[in-house]
Amino acid sequence: MYNKRILLLGITIIGSAWVTPSSTIGVTAPQSLSDTDRLVKTTVVPVNNSLRSVSGSKAENTIFETLFMATSVGGSNGVRLNPKALNFIQDYMKENWEELQAVRSYGTPYFNLIESVLSQYGLPKELKYLAVIESNLKSSAVSKVGAKGTWQLMPQTARDLGLKVNRNVDERKNYYKSTRAAAAYLRDLYNELGDWLLVIAAYNTGTFNVNRAIHRSGSRNFWDLENYLPAESRSHVKKFIGTQYMFEGQGSVTTLTREEATEQLSGSAMFVFHRNLTAQELTNSRTIAVSGKYHSSVITRYTLLDKATFDRYNPDFDKIMGGPNNSYDLKLPADKMELFAANKYQILNESVQLLLNESEQIAGTTATAQGVAVK
């Protein structure tokens, strides 16, 4: 049966998003909208009619077939699904198929708003799927323990993040403000834990329980310590992974442990989230993808930027650009990026020359040490 599944995969073209079954027709968006929600709702994009003719069972089969492939080959971005998550995610998708497709039918404008805020905080856009498993994107959602809003923030946590929560005002229901608060919280969690799966677990259960699981298991790998977490929290992480596969067709840095991400992702994908920048610095910065043998010392000279500041914006830049996968999402203050763009080719030429000179010096030193005359 497994070989038959793999054979079918050979003739199945997998797109970047899953097909939508006919059962989603007529699904409505979240109700009890705040002013921000109403603004977002006016831009709802209709579901692609060409996808409605595909039967739900066929779409589900396509997903399950692809999940098997994801555990071995991975997606187009090289990200693989951990086999320990496979059975859970299959069951989760089957049990929540119609509900997730309902979110797909009304989710586009909400996702657009969330992505915009996550970008301002320098966070991966795929974290938007956390709002799906928290509340199905509903700002009116309330849990039995008092968490409220799209991001299901507890009252004191919301206040700590700068939101107003009192008898008259509850900004947890404000889509934009609560999303900014959640983004700040996720950024702080990542700065503390350094691993996206642990961040998702901590969002659900708190850092105390995650750190206790790390201590008891002797590991910072989610798949090693998951059984030391509350059952709800380890399920929360797997639901997040499953939701992302449902919507994206593949995983990302946010569905991997730190070790998995280091192994599977190339270039700057693992390092860009270690930028130590304030919200204001992120807002006033610009990003450009660069490839080639650029060197930080040349860039800082042309952009009049000190090395310490450059390293905060671009951690491990020289390490990555000096390796085989020398591509990086270079981030600089807006005025410095203008200087970089104006001198891009001179910077590259001088960077290459610098590296050549360093190589010649190393070769000369080695030869001298070995008693070989250098001509």
Side-chain angles (χ1 to χ4, degrees):
M1 183 61 180
Y2 178 80
N3 291 334
K4 184 177 180 181
R5 291 178 182 273
I6 296 300
L7 178 61
L8 181 59
L9 281 168
I11 59 174
T12 303
I13 299 176
I14 306 301
S16 62
W18 303 112
V19 292
T20 306
S22 57
S23 60
T24 64
I25 298 175
V27 173
T28 57
Q31 301 300 310
S32 302
L33 301 178
S34 66
D35 290 340
T36 306
D37 298 327
R38 292 190 181 95
L39 177 63
V40 174
K41 188 175 184 290
T42 60
T43 62
V44 170
V45 178
V47 179
N48 187 337
N49 290 327
S50 65
L51 298 178
R52 287 176 170 168
S53 61
V54 181
S55 69
S57 59
K58 182 177 180 181
E60 290 181 39
N61 288 338
T62 300
I63 289 179
F64 296 150
E65 306 260 350
T66 307
L67 286 175
F68 277 104
M69 183 65 83
T71 60
S72 55
V73 178
S76 61
N77 59 1
V79 172
R80 298 191 296 276
L81 174 66
N82 192 297
K84 294 181 179 179
L86 180 59
N87 290 337
F88 180 96
I89 290 175
Q90 279 187 310
D91 292 340
Y92 169 71
M93 286 184 172
K94 183 176 293 186
E95 294 169 5
N96 297 276
W97 175 264
E98 292 189 4
E99 186 175 7
L100 290 172
Q101 292 302 325
V103 175
R104 181 196 296 281
S105 71
Y106 60 71
T108 298
Y110 299 93
F111 285 143
N112 289 343
L113 184 151
I114 293 171
E115 282 189 30
S116 175
V117 173
L118 292 174
S119 176
Q120 293 173 27
Y121 281 79
L123 297 172
K125 65 180 179 63
E126 291 84 4
L127 289 174
K128 63 188 177 185
Y129 297 118
L130 181 57
V132 175
I133 62 172
E134 290 289 345
S135 66
N136 280 343
L137 304 178
K138 297 177 181 179
S139 62
S140 59
V142 181
S143 77
K144 60 184 179 181
V145 296
K148 185 177 291 187
T150 306
W151 296 94
Q152 289 294 279
L153 297 170
M154 295 295 288
Q156 190 55 51
T157 301
R159 295 188 187 100
D160 292 342
L161 293 168
L163 296 181
K164 293 180 181 178
V165 180
N166 54 50
R167 290 183 178 181
N168 301 318
V169 179
D170 193 339
E171 291 183 336
R172 291 178 294 173
K173 296 188 293 183
N174 181 296
Y175 229 98
Y176 180 70
K177 291 182 178 181
S178 67
T179 299
R180 286 184 63 88
Y185 188 34
L186 289 166
R187 181 191 61 192
D188 292 345
L189 287 174
Y190 186 79
N191 287 339
E192 178 178 348
L193 298 168
D195 182 298
W196 287 115
L197 296 189
L198 297 184
V199 167
I200 302 302
Y203 192 93
N204 175 260
T205 191
T207 55
F208 176 82
N209 283 337
V210 171
N211 285 321
R212 183 170 61 178
I214 292 172
H215 176 74
R216 289 180 172 178
S217 66
S219 173
R220 299 185 67 87
N221 186 310
F222 172 80
W223 303 109
D224 294 335
L225 62 77
E226 63 168 316
N227 289 327
Y228 294 88
L229 291 169
E232 178 186 343
S233 301
R234 58 177 179 263
S235 296
H236 208 66
V237 173
K238 295 173 188 177
K239 288 177 182 179
F240 173 78
I241 296 173
T243 300
Q244 186 168 155
Y245 271 87
M246 184 78 162
F247 281 81
E248 298 283 341
Q250 59 186 0
S252 72
V253 67
T254 61
T255 63
L256 302 173
T257 65
R258 184 179 179 85
E259 292 85 352
E260 290 170 336
T262 301
E263 174 194 354
Q264 298 176 31
L265 296 176
S266 61
S268 62
M270 259 305 294
F271 296 89
V272 294
F273 305 117
H274 294 283
R275 290 174 170 142
N276 184 21
L277 304 178
T278 66
Q280 186 65 33
E281 286 174 327
L282 285 168
T283 300
N284 295 331
S285 65
R286 300 291 181 270
T287 304
I288 183 174
V290 296
S291 60
K293 298 299 182 180
Y294 284 97
H295 196 276
S296 64
S297 64
V298 182
I299 296 176
T300 55
R301 179 156 50 83
Y302 271 88
T303 59
L304 306 177
L305 192 67
D306 65 271
K307 184 64 162 60
T309 301
F310 180 88
D311 289 342
R312 283 199 303 110
Y313 278 79
N314 303 281
D316 295 288
F317 181 83
D318 290 332
K319 176 181 179 180
I320 294 171
M321 299 306 280
N325 299 307
N326 54 341
S327 62
Y328 199 100
D329 290 334
L330 178 70
K331 183 179 286 290
L332 296 171
D335 59 330
K336 304 302 183 183
M337 185 60 80
E338 291 180 3
L339 292 173
F340 174 83
N343 299 280
K344 182 177 179 180
Y345 297 108
Q346 296 96 311
I347 293 173
L348 180 58
N349 288 335
E350 291 189 26
S351 295
V352 171
Q353 189 59 51
L354 175 65
L355 292 172
L356 289 174
N357 292 341
E358 289 180 349
S359 297
E360 290 177 357
Q361 290 176 0
I362 293 173
T365 301
T366 303
T368 301
Q370 294 176 345
V372 178
V374 180
K375 297 182 179 179

